[in-house]
Amino acid sequence: MASWGDFARAMPGMAAAGRAAFHRSGVGEGYFTTIRGSGLPRTHVINVGIVDDRLLAFVQGHSAKTRDLLEDGRYALHAFQDPAEPHEFLVRGRARLVTDAAVRARAAANWPFTPGDDYPLFELDIEHALFGERASPDDWPPMYRSWRSPTAGG
């Protein structure tokens, strides 16, 4: 797995396009899929941020998302698409609970909402990133670029 910083150093153009895709609305957000213990996926809308070269997400403490991440950790995060500029961006990997108070404070300082103490912070390590680019909404299929962490298994 790799941090956002590792990904950005390996693929700076793709990382910049991905960051822009997450921030289309002015705040970082996307569709976040976690895996239940039974293997069934759940998709949720969440806010994400890139702080200190880390892709981070505060998650409601008593939510299914938090249980899924603590029990399994696998996730996929897809940026919202803009019909006028329908580029796609997706990362997937494993989430890790962040316990460092300083990292939490830096993340919370610029978050789009005030995360309560019952909102755990997760770092989203990246195994794979995919960017699909279309010159216009009528162009199909997208031109895909892909990156896989050199330390990713399988």
Side-chain angles (χ1 to χ4, degrees):
M1 300 293 168
S3 69
W4 181 271
D6 297 330
F7 164 57
R9 284 184 288 281
M11 300 290 288
M14 190 171 158
R19 182 188 289 253
F22 284 138
H23 286 86
R24 281 187 182 118
S25 69
V27 297
E29 56 191 0
Y31 296 109
F32 189 62
T33 301
T34 58
I35 306 296
R36 295 173 63 173
S38 63
L40 298 174
R42 296 189 239 226
T43 300
H44 327 266
V45 174
I46 66 165
N47 292 108
V48 296
I50 300 165
V51 179
D52 297 339
D53 282 341
R54 300 170 182 225
L55 180 58
L56 301 172
F58 283 100
V59 181
Q60 291 176 330
H62 300 290
S63 69
K65 294 182 290 290
T66 295
R67 286 191 306 275
D68 292 350
L69 294 175
L70 291 173
E71 291 173 9
D72 185 288
R74 290 179 292 167
Y75 80 89
L77 176 63
H78 197 291
F80 295 152
Q81 280 187 281
D82 178 349
E85 188 182 334
H87 303 320
E88 300 173 39
F89 184 67
L90 166 78
V91 291
R92 70 173 191 237
R94 288 207 180 259
R96 290 183 299 109
L97 183 64
V98 175
T99 58
D100 185 313
V103 172
R104 181 183 175 85
R106 284 192 300 278
N110 292 308
W111 213 255
F113 62 87
T114 302
D117 292 340
D118 61 336
Y119 276 62
L121 178 64
F122 288 91
E123 180 171 1
L124 306 177
D125 287 336
I126 300 170
E127 176 182 317
H128 183 244
L130 181 71
F131 184 71
E133 187 171 18
R134 293 195 277 166
S136 79
D138 298 324
D139 289 313
W140 190 262
M143 298 296 296
Y144 286 104
R145 289 183 280 163
S146 178
W147 178 82
R148 184 173 296 277
S149 168
T151 59

